Amino acid sequence: TETPLTNGVPSKDHYNLAAYRDDLGRDRIGSLDPETSMITPLALPSGTAVSNLYEVIEVGHESLVPAGEAFSLDSVKLLPPISGRDVLCVGKNYSEHAKEFNSSGFDATDKVDQPSHPVIFTKRYTSIIADGEEILPHQDFTDSLDYEGEIGVIIGKSGYRIQEEDAIDYVWGYTIINDVTAREKQRDHKQFYIGKSGDTYCPMGPIAVPACRLPKTLEVTTYINGQQRQKGTTEDLIFSIPNLIKTLSEGQTLQAGDVLATGTPAGVGFGQKPPTFLKSGDLVEITVPGLGKLSNRIASPSTKNPTLSSTATISHLPLNNLEITNGGIGLTTLNSKRLLIKTLGPGGPQTHNRNSAEAPSSSSTPIVFIHGLGGNTCFFAPLISTLNLPATHTCHLMDLEGHGLSPTHASSVVSISSYASDLAALFADSRYNLKSAILIAHSMGCLVAQTFASQHPSLVSKLILLGPPPSPLPAAAAEGCRKRADAVRAGGMIAVAPAVAMAGTAQKTQKERPLARGFVLAQLMSQIPEGYAKGCTALAGASENEIDVGRLGMKTLAVTGEEDKVAPPDKVRELAGMMKDCRVEVLKDVGHWHGVEDVEGVARVVRQFLEE
């Protein structure tokens, strides 16, 4: 049953599918209401948002459900309904157009009015643009810019050597295409590719519609500045859509999502009397009942090429962990990286509201927290809560690169020095007003804090080191870190987390502190493997660099556990002996995760140190 049309677009909900980019930079699919120009975002039945038409084709358009309130089309960037692959095209597929082309002087093919076989070529995928975007005139490239209104077929499933009688079953749906052409390039190069593939030469859209929601016969009409130039239907094709699918699949596999431009009717620019080509300011509008109207204007010669800028930003290197924040929501850019920075109490961009009785005095020294390998800002939550630190200090917490909510780029080389550089960027950022601060660090974070303090001693008023590893790290420990990085890259966090949690906690924690034991394991299991692996290699690199702790003149508290294998008490006392003013506290029945194994004990010694 065919669906009623409204302004040339199916009125049935969720079938006129538009691709768009939301205000967070995420590509999405929605249903476009032609009467109101409102888009309803769509999702799978699971609630997962639909990102592109390839996903729709794979799961079936019938399963799509609304995923939120409708919003104005003007509030987002409209995209081509489908992109990413070269478009398969057919030339000379309407009888009258084949005749006008043969007599135009631009035809470099077989010089006959009607071809014996389909004339197949492709348009490069970088030529695809959306409805409403401008077509570049490319004045130094062509003097004969022309239009071709066409119906685009979207393939719905893979097929090879498809029989003509079965071919229509391989059609998912349709869209509108403008096969923009540089005519002299089409002629001079004999093959069509160069003349057809100029940047912006393939406007497509505004929507894609499943075949089952459209009439059997589709009619395409082209207008230039409001004047009708072309008109034809799929009944007029020399080679039918099933014949084209059969021909194309005889020696190659067609894939779901492939797009086939079926040819253009008579009335192109070179067919006018006299020939009339497109110029800056001209408006090309192509309509197909059921598919709406594709509108694009020819740009000014001075317009910058948007294809160059858009392709220049494409990276094939992953940014690991970005999806956990929905593309970076809540992250702060520091040191050209996106990192999670949290501020508790007054004094930062993410200040929490507090009444005057709770607010720290303006003279209190801020505290910056640096977690260790496998941790995140949540590691310090028990200590911060027990001491109610936001009532007395502005507290800044940062997820190290690749940890917690902070992503890491595949090409980013992480080290203790790079972590310290990110910390320096936090201090240098005027939004945080960090002229001097107390550093509280755990495990690997202690090496970061000591490195930073040795480079910027005037910025650190006090140091609190929870389980500081030795510097330089022993060679055996460094080799263990490298092997752990290999293991987690091969088997994920499950390959290392249980063993690390067991080795890092005290016997009493394993037997009598189930919440602490679970917290440690949850911290580790929540890490992304690549970020944790990079942290392992960063820690391993600490075997090659010794921090000159003798230069650290600020008051320092070093806390370790009686059963801390990473920071054994004798090694921590040795470290303290090399520093100018360092006190050591050893907690009974505690391993390396001091702040959760014995938060009261850590809070007691930290409170005393802060009050000194």
Side-chain angles (χ1 to χ4, degrees), residues 196-326:
K196 296 284 190 174
S197 293
D199 291 347
T200 72
Y201 274 17
C202 189
M204 186 187 299
I207 58 174
V209 177
C212 64
R213 313 307 302 180
L214 292 167
K216 181 179 179 182
T217 300
L218 298 177
E219 180 181 74
V220 59
T221 308
T222 304
Y223 301 86
I224 305 299
N225 300 323
Q227 178 189 26
Q228 181 179 312
R229 293 282 185 87
Q230 294 180 287
K231 190 168 189 176
T233 77
T234 49
E235 295 295 325
D236 302 327
L237 295 175
I238 297 173
F239 302 102
S240 68
I241 291 171
N243 181 273
L244 295 173
I245 292 173
K246 170 186 175 294
T247 301
L248 283 165
S249 68
E250 284 176 341
Q252 61 182 289
T253 299
L254 293 180
Q255 302 178 73
D258 281 346
V259 177
L260 168 61
T262 54
T264 196
V268 296
F270 65 64
Q272 305 301 306
K273 305 297 183 184
T276 306
F277 296 111
L278 296 171
K279 61 184 184 301
S280 294
D282 284 348
L283 178 64
V284 184
E285 298 172 297
I286 305 168
T287 65
V288 176
L291 295 174
K293 179 172 65 177
L294 174 64
S295 301
N296 302 87
R297 195 174 293 277
I298 309 304
S300 162
S302 62
T303 300
K304 292 185 177 180
N305 188 342
T307 308
L308 176 61
S309 57
S310 63
T311 56
T313 59
I314 295 173
S315 173
H316 298 286
L317 296 172
L319 184 59
N320 296 291
N321 206 38
L322 189 63
E323 68 280 359
I324 199 171
T325 57
N326 271 344

Side-chain angles (χ1 to χ4, degrees), residues 335-411:
N335 228 9
S336 300
K337 302 174 185 177
R338 284 185 275 189
L339 302 170
L340 178 73
I341 311 293
K342 293 198 299 186
T343 297
L344 307 177
Q350 301 176 41
T351 294
H352 290 207
N353 292 324
R354 299 182 177 276
N355 60 43
S356 57
E358 297 176 311
S361 68
S362 59
S363 60
S364 62
T365 305
I367 302 175
V368 176
F369 294 83
I370 312 158
H371 66 77
L373 175 63
N376 57 39
T377 57
C378 295
F379 171 78
F380 295 105
L383 178 62
I384 291 171
S385 177
T386 300
L387 293 175
N388 193 20
L389 288 176
T392 54
H393 300 265
T394 298
C395 300
H396 301 284
L397 301 95
M398 175 174 68
D399 278 346
L400 297 176
E401 180 183 346
H403 283 67
L405 300 185
S406 292
T408 180
H409 194 272
S411 64

Side-chain angles (χ1 to χ4, degrees), residues 39-340:
I39 292 182
T40 300
L42 298 176
L44 305 179
S46 63
T48 300
V50 182
S51 298
N52 55 63
L53 198 65
Y54 295 105
E55 296 176 358
V56 175
I57 295 169
E58 181 174 340
V59 302
H61 60 274
E62 304 91 346
S63 65
L64 301 180
V65 296
E69 296 297 322
F71 50 83
S72 172
L73 176 61
D74 293 337
S75 67
V76 295
K77 175 178 174 56
L78 185 67
L79 302 174
I82 194 165
S83 58
R85 297 182 192 166
D86 287 5
V87 177
L88 304 168
C89 303
V90 184
K92 301 171 65 171
N93 202 26
Y94 284 79
S95 296
E96 292 305 312
H97 171 65
K99 291 177 183 177
E100 70 176 355
F101 189 35
N102 187 34
S103 63
S104 68
F106 291 103
D107 188 359
T109 59
D110 51 8
K111 301 293 193 299
V112 295
D113 282 347
Q114 186 159 314
S116 58
H117 295 79
V119 178
I120 304 296
F121 60 94
T122 59
K123 293 178 78 75
R124 186 164 168 78
Y125 77 95
T126 50
S127 67
I128 300 173
I129 61 172
D131 173 62
E133 293 189 290
E134 290 188 317
I135 300 167
L136 294 175
H138 291 296
Q139 284 193 329
D140 294 334
F141 176 69
T142 181
D143 294 321
S144 53
L145 189 66
D146 211 347
Y147 54 87
E148 292 188 7
E150 305 196 15
I151 294 164
V153 175
I154 301 172
I155 300 298
K157 58 183 178 180
S158 293
Y160 171 67
R161 293 187 177 175
I162 301 166
Q163 297 302 307
E164 188 166 348
E165 58 268 25
D166 301 325
I168 206 67
D169 295 334
Y170 288 78
V171 175
W172 175 84
Y174 297 90
T175 189
I176 304 173
I177 291 174
N178 184 357
D179 181 12
V180 180
T181 307
R183 292 298 181 192
E184 74 272 48
K185 301 300 182 183
Q186 180 184 20
R187 175 196 64 207
D188 296 345
H189 290 273
K190 311 306 178 186
Q191 298 287 337
F192 291 3
Y193 181 79
I194 290 179
K196 296 284 190 174
S197 293
D199 291 347
T200 72
Y201 274 17
C202 189
M204 186 187 299
I207 58 174
V209 177
C212 64
R213 313 307 302 180
L214 292 167
K216 181 179 179 182
T217 300
L218 298 177
E219 180 181 74
V220 59
T221 308
T222 304
Y223 301 86
I224 305 299
N225 300 323
Q227 178 189 26
Q228 181 179 312
R229 293 282 185 87
Q230 294 180 287
K231 190 168 189 176
T233 77
T234 49
E235 295 295 325
D236 302 327
L237 295 175
I238 297 173
F239 302 102
S240 68
I241 291 171
N243 181 273
L244 295 173
I245 292 173
K246 170 186 175 294
T247 301
L248 283 165
S249 68
E250 284 176 341
Q252 61 182 289
T253 299
L254 293 180
Q255 302 178 73
D258 281 346
V259 177
L260 168 61
T262 54
T264 196
V268 296
F270 65 64
Q272 305 301 306
K273 305 297 183 184
T276 306
F277 296 111
L278 296 171
K279 61 184 184 301
S280 294
D282 284 348
L283 178 64
V284 184
E285 298 172 297
I286 305 168
T287 65
V288 176
L291 295 174
K293 179 172 65 177
L294 174 64
S295 301
N296 302 87
R297 195 174 293 277
I298 309 304
S300 162
S302 62
T303 300
K304 292 185 177 180
N305 188 342
T307 308
L308 176 61
S309 57
S310 63
T311 56
T313 59
I314 295 173
S315 173
H316 298 286
L317 296 172
L319 184 59
N320 296 291
N321 206 38
L322 189 63
E323 68 280 359
I324 199 171
T325 57
N326 271 344
I329 297 173
L331 300 183
T332 299
T333 299
L334 286 178
N335 228 9
S336 300
K337 302 174 185 177
R338 284 185 275 189
L339 302 170
L340 178 73

